[in-house]
Amino acid sequence: MLVTGGAGFIGSALVRALVAAGASRVINVDKLTYAGNPDAVASVAGDPRYQFERADVCDGPALRQILARHRPATIFHLAAESHVDRSIDAPADFVMTNVVGTFRLLEESQIYWTALASAEREAFRLVHASTDEVFGSLDTGGRFIEHSPYAPNSPYAASKAGSDHLVRAWHRTYGLPVIVTHSTNNYGPWQLPEKLIPLMIHHAAAGRPLPVYGDGRHVRDWIHVDDHVAALRCIADRGVPGGRYLIGAGEERTNLDVVHMICDLLDELRPDPSLGLRRELVRFVADRPGHDRRYALDAASTRALGWAPQRRFDEGLRETVRWYLAHRLNRQIPSLGPTMM
Ligand code: NAD
C-alpha cells in the first residue's frame, strides 16, 4: 500500500490504520509541507512494515523510482494543499500540487501499471481522495449524489475538481483502475489548528476571541477522520474501478452550532470561572469570499459496500476536544493574508 500525503491529517490516520490492520507494507510519500507532521506517524515509524519517502508528487522521476522500488498494489492519493482560506490568498500551490501533482501521479502510475503482470494489473487500484466541495453550494436543500454536476467555487475546490477530471480521464482513456471518493468535512486528532474545529478548540481553551465567518449559519456535514479512513479502505477493497463514492456521516451542523458545542465542552472539561461562558467569546467577522452555504451528501454508494460511520458527531467531538487538550501540536503554521482569519 502506498499513501501520498501520509504525514497529513487524514493520510496519517490512514497510515496508522493500515499498519494496525496488518498491511504487509505501508509506504508514505510526502513532501512535508507546513501541513505534514512526522509526529502524526511517529507511532508507526519504527515498524519494519512502514517506510517514509520524502517526495513531491509533482516530481515525476521521483515517483517513478518510488513505484519501481516499492511496487504497491494500491495507491491512496491524499497529498494536496487543503486549506480553502490559503487557496484564496495564494492559489498557485493549489494548482501545482492538486492538479499538476495528480497528473504526474497518474502518468507514473499508468506507466507502472502497464508493466505489471496481468494478475497484478487486475488487482491494482488508485483511490483518489476528493471532496464534496467540488459540487459547489447547496443553497436550496437536497444532498449531493454521485452524478451531481461539478460547480467548484473556491480555488481549492476548483483545483480538486481539476484533479478529479484528470483521474476520470485516465480511467476512460488508458483503463487505469482508479476510484474517486468525495468526503465531507473531517475532524479528529492531528488536524492543524488552521481548520475550524482545532482552531476553535485552541482559541476557546485559551480564552481568546472565536472568529466566526459571516452569520455562522453555513452548514457542513461532519465525519470523524477514522470513519473516513475506514471508508477509503473499504472502497479500495470493494469499489468498482472507474467508480465514484460519496463518504459522509449525515451529521449536518451550522458552524455556529459547532463552535457553541466546543465552548460547552470546554466549559465542562476545562472550566475557567474567570472567562465566564466561552460562548461569549464568539466574534462574527467578515465572511470568506465565495463562502459556500451548505454541503451535504448521500453516502448510499459507500454504505452499499458494507461501510457505515461508527461515531456520532457529539461523541466524536467530545473525544476530539479531549485529544487536543492532552496534546500540544508543535507546528509553525504560515500566516494568512489580511483578508483571512
Ligand atoms: P492536510 O493538509 O492535513 O495534509 C496534506 C498532506 O499532503 C501533508 O502531509 C503535506 O505535507 C502533503 N503534501 C502537500 N503537498 C504535497 C506535494 N506536492 N507532494 C507530496 N506531499 C504533499 O490535508 P488533509 O486534510 O489530510 O486532506 C487529505 C486529502 O483529503 C486532500 O486531498 C483533501 O483534499 C482531501 N479531503 C480533505 C477533507 C478534510 O476535511 N480535511 C475532506 C475531503 C477531502
Side-chain angles (χ1 to χ4, degrees):
M1 307 267 181
L2 185 149
V3 179
T4 73
F9 165 47
I10 301 168
S12 66
L14 176 59
V15 163
R16 295 190 303 271
L18 290 171
V19 172
S24 53
R25 276 174 349 113
V26 179
I27 315 304
N28 178 0
V29 178
D30 199 296
K31 182 182 174 181
L32 294 183
T33 67
Y34 80 96
N37 185 354
D39 293 347
V41 283
S43 61
V44 297
D47 193 305
R49 295 167 302 149
Y50 170 78
Q51 211 160 333
F52 179 67
E53 293 275 7
R54 186 168 191 175
D56 187 333
V57 288
C58 300
D59 183 346
L63 291 177
R64 191 171 299 192
Q65 283 184 9
I66 289 168
L67 292 174
R69 191 156 53 239
H70 298 292
R71 306 186 57 76
T74 305
I75 297 176
F76 293 95
H77 179 37
L78 287 94
E81 289 290 339
S82 69
H83 188 37
V84 176
D85 288 351
R86 221 169 270 291
S87 83
I88 296 169
D89 255 11
D93 286 348
F94 288 72
V95 174
M96 193 51 72
T97 288
N98 299 0
V99 181
V100 177
T102 300
F103 160 64
R104 292 286 176 223
L105 181 69
L106 288 167
E107 199 175 40
E108 295 305 328
S109 297
Q110 200 234 327
I111 292 168
Y112 163 73
W113 174 73
T114 304
L116 290 174
S118 69
E120 292 172 314
R121 274 168 63 96
E122 192 64 31
F124 179 82
R125 297 286 181 272
L126 190 158
V127 178
H128 171 66
S130 189
T131 162
D132 56 359
E133 301 188 30
V134 298
F135 301 123
S137 185
L138 280 170
D139 302 320
T140 51
R143 289 171 158 224
F144 298 129
I145 57 168
E146 282 68 27
H147 302 296
S148 291
Y150 274 67
N153 290 321
S154 70
Y156 164 69
S159 68
K160 293 297 289 186
S163 66
D164 295 358
H165 293 322
L166 290 171
V167 170
R168 175 189 157 94
W170 256 248
H171 176 69
R172 298 289 278 236
T173 305
Y174 306 108
L176 190 67
V178 296
I179 303 178
V180 178
T181 66
H182 299 272
S183 168
T184 56
N185 279 41
N186 285 223
Y187 69 98
W190 296 109
Q191 189 170 31
L192 275 193
E194 63 180 3
K195 305 278 170 65
L196 181 75
I197 288 181
L199 179 81
M200 293 299 160
I201 295 172
H202 280 273
H203 280 235
R208 291 202 296 270
L210 305 174
V212 172
Y213 279 141
D215 61 4
R217 303 278 167 206
H218 303 80
V219 173
R220 300 293 180 259
D221 183 352
W222 292 95
I223 185 168
H224 191 277
V225 65
D226 291 343
D227 281 329
H228 182 190
V229 160
L232 291 173
R233 294 178 54 215
C234 172
I235 289 164
D237 285 347
R238 297 179 219 151
V240 177
R244 179 183 297 282
Y245 294 89
L246 271 48
I247 305 169
E251 293 273 17
E252 289 184 51
R253 299 283 188 288
T254 67
N255 288 345
L256 188 59
D257 283 343
V258 171
V259 174
H260 281 165
M261 286 172 80
I262 290 168
C263 289
D264 297 348
L265 282 164
L266 283 164
D267 286 344
E268 176 196 328
L269 298 171
R270 184 160 292 183
D272 183 345
S274 72
L275 292 176
L277 289 179
R278 283 181 167 91
R279 285 179 180 225
E280 283 157 24
L281 297 169
V282 169
R283 302 285 178 274
F284 294 100
V285 298
D287 208 354
R288 167 198 275 170
H291 201 177
D292 289 335
R293 197 66 179 164
R294 175 171 167 257
Y295 305 131
L297 56 71
D298 181 347
S301 53
T302 308
R303 285 179 177 270
L305 299 178
W307 169 86
Q310 299 300 308
R311 276 188 185 74
R312 291 204 346 245
F313 184 64
D314 52 355
E315 293 163 359
L317 188 64
R318 173 177 288 273
E319 203 181 290
T320 300
V321 169
R322 281 188 195 277
W323 190 90
Y324 284 96
L325 288 177
H327 294 78
R328 180 160 293 279
L329 298 186
N330 291 316
R331 306 301 300 161
Q332 287 296 328
I333 302 177
S335 57
L336 280 160
T339 52
M340 300 291 130
M341 71 189 196

